Amino acid sequence: MIFYSLTIWDLALLVLRLCFVVPVVIHVLLTKRDVGASIGWIGVTVLMPLTGGILYLMFGINRVHRRARRMAGQHPWRSRTMSSQWRCDEKGAFAPLGSMVGKLTGRPLLGGNAIEPMHDGDTVYPRMLDAINAAQRSVLLCSYIFRADSIGRQFCDALIAAHGRGVQVRVLVDGVGSGYFNCGVARILRRAGVPVGQFMHSMLPWRMPFINMRDHKKILVTDGLTGFMGGLNIGEENIAASRPTHLVSDTHFQLTGPVVHQLSEAFARDWAFTVGEELTAEIYFPPQPSCGETPGRIVTAGPDMDLEKIEYTMLQAFTMARHSIRLMTPYFLPDDRFLTELELASLRGIEVDIVVPAHSNHTLLDWARAANLPRFLDSGCRIWMARPPFNHSKLMVVDRHWSFVGSSNLDVRSLRLNFEINLETYDAALAGSLDAFIASHRHIRLTHHDLDRRPFVRKLRDAAARLMLPYL
């Protein structure tokens, strides 16, 4: 028999390994909800204690959620958005959905709104610029991508002019989407004295993991009374008249009425989180008149106190469907939970139509999507490819009555890691209009034959790309 004796160096190394492994294991067991992620982090740390421990310290701890918990309930403007005189209760078949989303979000469903869908930058940008130019008291603008190109400079000029005439202007851009190392619009606006925040932006090494968490929201509110939200970023690629190399179509919405309070609240939360300034003045939350008849509510989601709320809303809507579910999204890489609920809806006889672009602006996502579609086809879902130009709209309609629109894509990144904002509405006329818009982009129906006839090399490539689904 061979006996091994531990030297003092062996013991020291063992103790050092345990110092890295034990804290990670304890933290994973107490905080992680996903079993697969938990096993992965523990395995990596046990096999590579030093490297695994450092990686977990950087990427595995959700510091955003911890910070949000400390800030929860501290916002003085929340009582204004919760005590609106325009509260309403959804009646009929969708009443359980309205009740559930109210409990999930903590926001009331508000009546008295006018919500107008608009398509493409050629139509939307002039309306947004007119609203900024007409603002007398406040302008709140948030955009994931805000380019310093010709259209971006038009927005900068309008914001600077508003600031110059005494309007309280606040601009929030994503720390990655609008330029991590060089954010042109932030530089232009700061030189003019306009307050600008860069969400989750830092050059400090221990803050680098936050680049994986992005503020994907698109919000504009002027004078607290007129709001814009949807999927449209700010850049020349969204304007057909500028003849960009890769034209992007999109859908945006103009909001008036009490629900604008909730839009302002969503901005104020992110602004306080990023800059530390509370926007409490009445210029941001003025009394809201009734402007229409559409009940609406804002739903936000992100890896903080709003974790997975947009996805939960969608899943509940799937269970409420009795006739049809229409989805339009630029990127379609949902997780198994989302996939299963859509499959079950289709299997019980619901017409499920999913419209995606034939080619998006992210080739890797298209590859991964192709490997993810057979299960949808197996259950009877209909997959449609929309011809160019690339459409970036994010729309969902159930039974031509309930609509869910905004910034959220149907992929794991958007539903789990990004900070997103959507709007739910209970309005048959609006839902019918959006349903028809989705139907108008059902250009090419995808079949099993289309997927099966892919060359073996392409199938292998697509299956490999699908393994990166949680990170795309």
Side-chain angles (χ1 to χ4, degrees):
M1 297 180 64
I2 300 176
F3 295 92
Y4 294 95
S5 59
L6 294 176
T7 66
I8 187 67
W9 297 110
D10 293 328
L11 289 172
L13 183 60
L14 177 61
V15 170
L16 185 61
R17 289 173 64 94
L18 291 175
C19 287
F20 282 101
V21 172
V22 173
V24 171
V25 172
I26 292 174
H27 193 273
V28 167
L29 293 175
L30 294 179
T31 62
K32 295 297 178 186
R33 295 166 53 183
D34 186 281
V35 174
S38 300
I39 294 173
W41 278 118
I42 291 174
V44 168
T45 308
V46 169
L47 292 174
M48 302 182 295
L50 177 59
T51 304
I54 293 174
L55 288 174
Y56 184 75
L57 183 65
M58 293 181 65
F59 297 100
I61 300 174
N62 189 342
R63 297 177 180 86
V64 177
H65 187 264
R66 292 166 60 193
R67 182 175 172 186
R69 289 182 67 89
R70 291 197 301 269
M71 296 176 66
Q74 297 179 3
H75 305 295
W77 34 254
R78 184 164 178 78
S79 61
R80 301 187 185 186
T81 63
M82 288 295 294
S83 60
S84 173
Q85 61 177 312
W86 304 106
R87 287 173 179 252
C88 70
D89 294 317
E90 172 59 18
K91 308 296 183 184
F94 283 87
L97 177 61
S99 175
M100 187 284 292
V101 179
K103 294 175 182 177
L104 179 70
T105 63
R107 296 187 181 99
L109 183 65
L110 300 176
N113 305 292
I115 299 170
E116 180 184 355
M118 301 173 290
H119 303 289
D120 303 330
D122 302 75
T123 300
V124 180
Y125 290 152
R127 298 275 287 272
M128 295 174 69
L129 289 168
D130 286 346
I132 295 172
N133 291 327
Q136 297 300 313
R137 295 179 295 173
S138 65
V139 174
L140 308 177
L141 175 62
C142 173
S143 186
Y144 173 63
I145 295 175
F146 191 163
R147 302 196 192 282
D149 54 19
S150 62
I151 186 63
R153 289 180 181 274
Q154 288 184 48
F155 273 87
C156 286
D157 291 343
L159 293 165
I160 292 170
H163 175 73
R165 63 177 182 268
V167 177
Q168 293 297 309
V169 179
R170 301 291 185 273
V171 179
L172 182 62
V173 296
D174 183 72
V176 174
S178 292
Y180 189 79
F181 295 104
N182 180 25
C183 183
V185 295
R187 185 173 61 253
I188 293 169
L189 293 172
R190 283 179 179 141
R191 284 176 180 170
V194 177
V196 180
Q198 289 176 266
F199 190 85
M200 292 293 190
H201 184 271
S202 175
M203 293 297 184
L204 301 176
W206 55 89
R207 295 292 299 275
M208 285 294 187
F210 286 149
I211 67 175
N212 200 38
M213 298 177 181
R214 305 168 189 172
D215 193 339
H216 199 238
K217 299 170 184 172
K218 294 88 177 174
I219 299 171
L220 172 63
V221 182
T222 59
D223 289 339
L225 296 173
T226 301
F228 297 84
M229 58 89 65
L232 188 67
N233 291 296
I234 300 175
E236 286 181 350
E237 64 271 20
N238 299 286
I239 304 177
S242 67
R243 298 184 181 277
T245 304
H246 301 288
L247 177 63
V248 179
S249 293
D250 217 323
T251 303
H252 225 55
F253 296 82
Q254 181 170 340
L255 285 56
T256 52
V259 77
V260 176
H261 258 184
Q262 295 182 355
L263 196 62
S264 298
E265 174 210 325
F267 180 94
R269 288 178 61 184
D270 288 353
W271 182 259
F273 185 90
T274 304
V275 179
E277 178 191 14
E278 295 284 0
L279 304 179
T280 59
E282 188 172 316
I283 58 172
Y284 305 112
F285 299 95
Q288 290 284 353
S290 176
C291 298
E293 300 180 352
T294 301
R297 171 167 37 212
I298 292 297
V299 181
T300 52
D304 55 1
M305 300 300 288
D306 286 338
L307 185 65
E308 299 176 333
K309 290 183 180 179
I310 284 179
E311 184 176 9
Y312 287 160
T313 300
M314 292 180 174
L315 295 177
Q316 181 66 15
F318 294 159
T319 67
M320 299 299 301
R322 295 297 176 265
H323 306 289
S324 63
I325 297 172
R326 317 285 191 215
L327 294 169
M328 186 171 186
T329 180
Y331 317 113
F332 189 62
L333 288 166
D335 59 15
D336 282 342
R337 180 173 58 189
F338 194 100
L339 190 155
T340 299
E341 288 295 337
L342 267 185
E343 284 182 312
L344 292 174
S346 182
L347 289 171
R348 70 173 187 268
I350 308 301
E351 286 187 356
V352 179
D353 288 289
I354 303 163
V355 178
V356 295
H359 302 285
S360 76
N361 58 344
H362 292 293
T363 303
L364 189 61
L365 271 69
D366 293 342
W367 295 350
R369 181 188 69 192
N372 212 36
L373 292 179
R375 279 184 60 182
F376 291 96
L377 296 176
D378 291 342
S379 65
C381 296
R382 297 184 296 196
I383 310 293
W384 303 88
M385 298 294 180
R387 297 191 184 96
F390 166 55
N391 202 299
H392 193 247
S393 302
K394 307 97 164 34
L395 309 172
M396 175 177 172
V397 180
V398 175
D399 290 350
R400 296 177 64 88
H401 179 80
W402 181 83
S403 306
F404 200 45
V405 302
S407 68
S408 181
N409 301 313
L410 297 183
D411 56 43
V412 174
R413 157 167 291 285
S414 193
L415 297 174
R416 300 282 178 84
L417 292 177
N418 287 351
F419 292 81
E420 305 280 4
I421 184 167
N422 275 23
L423 168 72
E424 67 154 349
T425 66
Y426 301 76
D427 184 298
L430 177 60
S433 171
L434 296 176
D435 192 275
F437 179 81
I438 296 173
S440 70
H441 288 78
R442 295 187 302 184
H443 297 149
I444 305 168
R445 185 171 178 178
L446 187 71
T447 65
H448 279 100
H449 178 66
D450 297 319
L451 295 175
D452 292 341
R453 70 182 181 183
R454 290 174 297 160
F456 173 78
V457 174
R458 283 185 57 190
K459 291 181 180 179
L460 193 62
R461 177 202 67 189
D462 297 345
R466 183 178 177 271
L467 296 179
M468 293 184 284
L469 186 150
Y471 312 103
L472 295 176

